[in-house]
Amino acid sequence: AKPRVAVTRSPLAASVDLGAAVQAAAIEGSKDAEDVMDMSLEMVDIDALDTGRYHAMVIQDPNDKRNIQGFFYMYVGFSKMGHSRGLPGLYYERPSAFPNLMEFLNQRTDIRAKFAGHLFFSDDEIMKAPFLYTSVDAHRPGPFEITISEAENLHSYMQRGGFWFVEDAWPEMGGVSDRTARRMIIDAFNAGGMSKGRDWEYQDIPKSHPINHCYYDFDDGPPTGLDVFMRTPHVPYPIRMVEIDGRVWCIMSNKDYEDIWSQQCWDNSDPTRQYMFGVNLIVFSLTQEGGITHRLMASVQY
C-alpha cells in the first residue's frame, strides 16, 4: 500500500490507484460474503473517502465483529405527497431521536455517525443511503398512499441494496398506522412487479439472525419498544423482515423505537438496549452482502 496519496474531490474513489485492492467483508450477514476481506485495518485511512460523495463507508475485521471503522450519515425518508398535505403526525418524528442514536453510535463504536436529515422517497439521493428510516403515525390524519413514482424509486432502492426500516409509530398491529406503513411497503414491491405471497413475504426475525448478533448480542431477539405499553396484554410484537435471496430488503416494526431513542419512554426506563439494537440495525445494513455500502467498498481501490 502507498499511504498519504492525495485525493481530490473530482475523481471517483474507484479510479484512484493507491496500490493494494481492498474489499469489504460482511460480518456474518444473512449470506456469507464471497469476497472476504484480506487486509490489515491499520493500512486503511477511511477518512480519505469521506468527501461528501458517499453516505457511508466501513471496513470491518472478519475475525472481530466489533472491530469496525468508517463513517455513516443517517437519513429519514418520507413521501412528498404526505408532506405537501401537511398532515400532523403523519411522520411521527421526535427531533432528538436520531441525533441521540448517532451520539450513541459515536460513543460505542469507531464509526463516525451523523444525522443528515430527510430525503423524499422520489429523491435519487436515497440510492446512496445504505439505511433509510421511515416511521408513520397515521392514527389522527388517517391512511394515505405514496405516489407511483415514489413506489418505483423505493423498489429500485431496495433492489440495488438499500435497507428500508419502516416503523408503526402508533404501535397497534392492524391499526391505521400499521396498515398505512404496510401499504407503502406493498406498493413499493408492486411497483417492481413483485407480489406479496408470490415473490416475497414477511417473516419474523429469528433469534439466531445476524441482525441480533452483528455487533451486540440479543439472544432473546429484539428488545421491547413502546408496543408493550400500547398492547393489552403487554406482550411485545415481533419484528418482521423481507429477506430475498439471503439479503434483507426491508423491515416492518411495530416497536416505535423512535420514541425511546428520543428518551420519551412512558415509564422512564433505561433506553440503552434500544440504542444498542439501533446500532445493530445500522451495522447490519452497512455490512450485509449485497448492501449498498458492501457493494461500494468492494469496488474501491487504495
Side-chain angles (χ1 to χ4, degrees):
K2 294 179 284 184
R4 296 193 177 90
V5 175
V7 180
T8 66
R9 287 178 174 268
S10 53
L12 288 171
S15 67
V16 180
D17 183 11
L18 302 183
V22 176
Q23 291 184 326
I27 338 179
E28 302 178 2
S30 311
K31 188 167 69 173
D32 289 338
E34 296 176 358
D35 49 335
V36 176
M37 177 173 61
D38 182 15
M39 53 163 284
S40 168
L41 292 178
E42 289 75 21
M43 294 172 61
V44 179
D45 180 11
I46 200 73
D47 291 340
L49 295 175
D50 189 7
T51 62
R53 181 184 295 273
Y54 310 111
H55 292 170
M57 286 282 193
V58 292
I59 296 292
Q60 186 175 42
D61 184 345
N63 299 313
D64 181 358
K65 66 184 180 182
R66 293 197 183 183
N67 190 3
I68 181 172
Q69 63 179 15
F71 62 88
F72 167 68
Y73 296 97
M74 180 176 179
Y75 289 90
V76 171
F78 59 103
S79 166
K80 185 175 291 186
M81 181 182 67
H83 182 263
S84 65
R85 288 167 62 187
L87 300 177
L90 184 60
Y91 298 96
Y92 188 71
E93 184 179 332
R94 294 284 191 180
S96 62
F98 307 111
N100 285 349
L101 180 58
M102 296 301 97
E103 182 180 358
F104 188 90
L105 188 63
N106 282 319
Q107 291 176 348
R108 300 296 184 97
T109 76
D110 289 325
I111 299 174
R112 292 182 292 99
K114 179 180 179 181
F115 176 54
H118 306 77
L119 290 173
F120 288 125
F121 293 147
S122 56
D123 193 333
D124 287 340
E125 195 71 10
I126 71 170
M127 300 301 171
K128 300 178 184 178
F131 181 92
L132 188 68
Y133 178 92
T134 300
S135 66
V136 179
D137 179 5
H139 186 262
R140 288 185 293 274
F144 72 98
E145 296 181 0
I146 58 178
T147 66
I148 294 175
S149 61
E150 288 176 332
E152 291 173 343
N153 215 39
L154 282 168
H155 182 269
S156 295
Y157 167 72
M158 292 187 290
Q159 188 179 45
R160 296 181 189 182
F163 182 94
W164 189 25
F165 186 76
V166 183
E167 279 212 295
D168 165 16
W170 189 273
E172 183 183 11
M173 195 170 288
V176 177
S177 296
D178 175 62
R179 297 197 309 270
T180 299
R182 291 174 190 273
R183 182 74 256 172
M184 287 196 306
I185 294 171
I186 289 173
D187 287 347
F189 278 103
N190 285 348
M194 300 177 68
S195 300
K196 185 176 182 294
R198 184 193 68 190
D199 303 300
W200 65 277
E201 189 54 84
Y202 293 115
Q203 54 182 299
D204 292 354
I205 298 177
K207 294 178 181 179
S208 60
H209 196 276
I211 287 177
N212 290 319
H213 303 282
C214 60
Y215 196 84
Y216 296 109
D217 289 311
F218 290 85
D219 296 329
D220 295 328
T224 59
L226 291 192
D227 50 339
V228 295
F229 299 104
M230 299 290 291
R231 190 180 184 189
T232 304
H234 298 310
V235 179
Y237 289 121
I239 292 183
R240 295 182 170 175
M241 65 180 178
V242 177
E243 188 175 68
I244 301 174
D245 294 332
R247 180 172 64 83
V248 178
W249 289 33
C250 178
I251 286 182
M252 175 65 212
S253 165
N254 296 90
K255 297 288 189 182
D256 189 16
Y257 286 134
E258 181 182 354
D259 245 324
I260 298 179
W261 293 338
S262 68
Q263 299 189 19
Q264 298 294 322
C265 304
W266 291 1
D267 64 348
N268 296 316
S269 59
D270 183 358
T272 299
R273 291 291 286 173
Q274 287 77 15
Y275 281 134
M276 291 167 69
F277 191 70
V279 170
N280 272 30
L281 289 168
I282 291 168
V283 168
F284 179 81
S285 73
L286 297 178
T287 56
Q288 75 163 327
E289 183 178 345
I292 287 176
T293 302
H294 184 273
R295 290 180 178 180
L296 182 60
M297 289 302 296
S299 71
V300 171
Q301 288 188 337
Y302 287 79

